[in-house]
Every structure is written in structure tokens, then in C-alpha cells.
Amino acid sequence: MRILAIPCLTDNYAYLVVCETSGLSALVDASEAGPVIDAARAAGLAPRAIWSTHHHHDHVGGNEEVARALGVADVLGHVSDRGRIPGQTRFLDTGDTFTLGALEIRTQHIPGHTLGAIAYIVRDPATGETALFTGDTLFCAGCGRLFEGTPAQMHASLQSLAAVGPAARVYCGHEYTEGNLRFAKHVEPTNAAVDAAMARAHALRANGEPTIATRIEDELATNPFLRVRSAEIRRTLGIAEGADDATALGAIRSAKDGFRG
Ligand SMILES: [Zn+2]
């Protein structure tokens, strides 16, 4: 499997997923038409589908123009996003499976940021690699704002992504990593894994490269929204020791919403 990140708009990423065995490809989140069409043409690819992670305009704004220009046949999204994703032709839910050449894809409903958010979990049986396309639900070192869902939904969604396995790589919808890590450092100042992740992110960004992709094991070590039981985070934010995980996540999310780091 080969994955190309396509910078779009201010800080969005669209992706091209390529099965190297068959040469077949798909797009994740046609954020805007121009860069996506150019990237596919430059790579000599004719993606047959767009996999939309959620209905927000900065993720689906290019769907129709990209589909027309590249001859894309199918636009995928969650069943509940019917009417909200332009050009949607396939309506998926947790546990649906399909293939892209030799690649095996499974979808997982991950409500929280929006109610129709869906992850695409891509496994390459030839290499054993797994890639997670998480949209705005799980970011590197963060999670999306709760525009439609509850803290409990976001917590369950993040846990379901973490359960895919420690080596799985996370391809998220925005380049928010450095800001997310500043918040992680603020709430968990003695976490050395956050310092290491910050150094890595700064070095990549200084070279104009994406910080994508981290692994789930990196997220478990650094991401405050996957570390809701951290005693240090709870102390920093005044979350009761006995508070349940969803309550803690809600408090961490509120603190991040107001964080100006
Ligand atoms: Zn969004």
C-alpha cells in the first residue's frame, strides 16, 4: 500500500490510497478540487472512489468536481450522512467491508465530531500494515471538536480506533499536530513522550513535511484524549480522581477549546 498526503485549503489533508499490486487507487476526503485533481494526475492515477470521512465542507467540498474530472464512480460515506455528502452513492456503517485491489477495507462509525463520522481501516495483507483514515475524530495528539456528538460518543469512538492495534498508522484530516502537542504538554508536563513527539513534529514542519502519520502506540503515549485516566492530566484540569472516562474526556475537550497556547 502506498499513501500520498495532499495538502488542501489551509491545513487539510486529502489522501490517495494506492494498491501497489493492482494499481487501483481511491481518494480520502476531496477537500477541494484543484490540488486533489492535480495530485492524482501527477501520480498517473485514476481513483475509482472517494471515501468521505464526514460531511463538513472542508472534507467534501471537492467531491463533485473531482468525480467529474477524474471519472470517479463512487462516493462513500456513513449511512446517516445521506443528503449531507455531495455525490454520495454508497451508505456505510460499522463492519462494512470492501476491497481496493489486494487491500482490505473495513469501516467503523465514529460519532463525536459529527454524528455521521466514519473511519476507513485499510489492511494490506501482503505487508501486514494497517492505515486508519480518521477524519476529524482522532488527530495526531488530539481529537476533533464536539460539534454534534457527546463526550461519551467521542470516547467510545477513540477507543474503537485505538483497538485496531498499536502499529496501525493514523492519517487524520488536518495538520494540527504542533498545536495539539502544546496542549498535551500543558496538561501533562512531565510526559517525556510528548517532548519527543514535539521534537519530531517541529523537525518535520521545519522541512515543510506533514507530521502524518503517527502510530496508535504513539497516540496512546501522547494524546490527552486517549489518556483520560492520567493522574497528571486530571490534577492539572481539576478532574476528580473518580470521574468516569467520558466525563474526563469532556473536561479535557472543554479545556482544549479554551486553550491559547
Ligand atoms: Zn470536520
Side-chain angles (χ1 to χ4, degrees), residues 12 29 53-59 113-114 135-137 139 144-145 147 174 176:
N12 279 78
D29 281 354
T53 60
H54 65 298
H55 73 90
H56 283 159
H57 187 74
D58 62 325
H59 295 260
H113 175 66
T114 66
D136 291 356
T137 302
F139 289 129
R145 286 177 187 259
F147 287 120
H174 288 270
Y176 288 163

